[in-house]
Amino acid sequence: YQAFIYLALPVMAANLLKSVHDLVDTYFIGQMQDSVSAQAGMSITWPLLNIFLALSVGLAVAGVAIISQYLGSKDIEGAREYTGLLVVLSVLLGFVLNVGLFLMAPFVLRMMGAEGAVYDAALIYLRVRSFEMIFLFLFTAFQATRQARGDTVTPVIISVIAILINIVLTWYFINVLGLGVFGGALATLIGQ
């Protein structure tokens, strides 16, 4: 039981921390004057972003399974080969999803019923956040390779650092520079 808890708790924490990025944006955008449409615009994008997060986690789970098998059989070269493949797949898939999400954002948001100021905020937020797909997929690949080796703590440490960066930058971009939804999305992108 201790081994399961030792390995599972950091994994759960790392995945939980990924969703904190959105909460940071909500908090600071909520402090703006007339923030209702901005918050609604951000909120409408989260199901889409969560779909892509789920895809990255699925790829990472497959990576953990394959890489840990090779490590368990002491085939270090095989583990390295599949780690490299996981990284390449992560970059390629992240890039394709980035381009697709950026280009399809207006269509998808209209299909979801966004209009007016909500649509404008959602489009800005989604297009900026689309650029984090490569980094999101790369981080989950990194997390998978660390987990396959039994290191579930390092990804949590990196996630905490990313969230701290996100908090500081979101505050600065929104409260100091007045960049609104764009600033929140940009800070989250940089944090990722």
Side-chain angles (χ1 to χ4, degrees):
Y1 292 113
Q2 288 178 339
F4 281 113
I5 291 171
Y6 175 76
L7 291 173
L9 285 179
V11 171
M12 289 186 292
N15 289 326
L16 179 67
L17 288 173
K18 287 178 185 171
S19 63
V20 171
H21 286 285
D22 296 332
L23 294 175
V24 169
D25 291 347
T26 301
Y27 174 78
F28 285 106
I29 294 292
Q31 306 305 310
M32 293 176 10
Q33 191 173 17
D34 299 327
S35 67
V36 175
S37 60
Q39 284 186 324
M42 286 180 356
S43 296
I44 203 169
T45 67
W46 292 338
L48 293 169
L49 295 171
N50 284 333
I51 289 169
F52 296 121
L53 177 61
L55 290 173
S56 73
V57 169
L59 185 61
V61 168
V64 169
I66 294 169
I67 295 167
S68 61
Q69 286 178 355
Y70 280 94
L71 289 174
S73 65
K74 308 290 188 226
D75 184 356
I76 302 303
E77 198 54 43
R80 284 187 181 144
E81 181 180 330
Y82 280 95
T83 298
L85 180 60
L86 179 62
V87 169
V88 169
L89 282 173
S90 296
V91 170
L92 289 176
L93 193 55
F95 177 75
V96 168
L97 293 174
N98 170 200
V99 171
L101 186 58
F102 186 87
L103 294 176
M104 296 297 293
F107 173 74
V108 172
L109 291 171
R110 292 279 186 218
M111 292 285 294
M112 294 175 75
E115 53 188 39
V118 172
Y119 171 82
D120 294 338
L123 184 62
I124 291 167
Y125 193 75
L126 190 57
R127 281 193 158 167
V128 172
R129 294 270 321 256
S130 73
F131 286 97
E132 77 184 44
M133 291 300 122
I134 294 173
F135 304 109
L136 173 69
F137 276 77
L138 271 176
F139 180 75
T140 53
F142 169 76
Q143 186 176 3
T145 58
R146 299 310 307 164
Q147 289 171 358
R149 295 183 54 113
D151 177 12
T152 57
V153 176
T154 302
V156 174
I157 293 169
I158 292 172
S159 293
V160 168
I161 293 168
I163 287 173
L164 293 175
I165 290 169
N166 186 21
I167 290 170
V168 170
L169 289 179
T170 303
W171 166 81
Y172 183 72
F173 289 164
I174 292 173
N175 291 354
V176 177
L177 298 180
L179 296 177
V181 172
F182 175 77
L186 183 60
T188 302
L189 170 63
I190 294 169
Q192 289 279 21

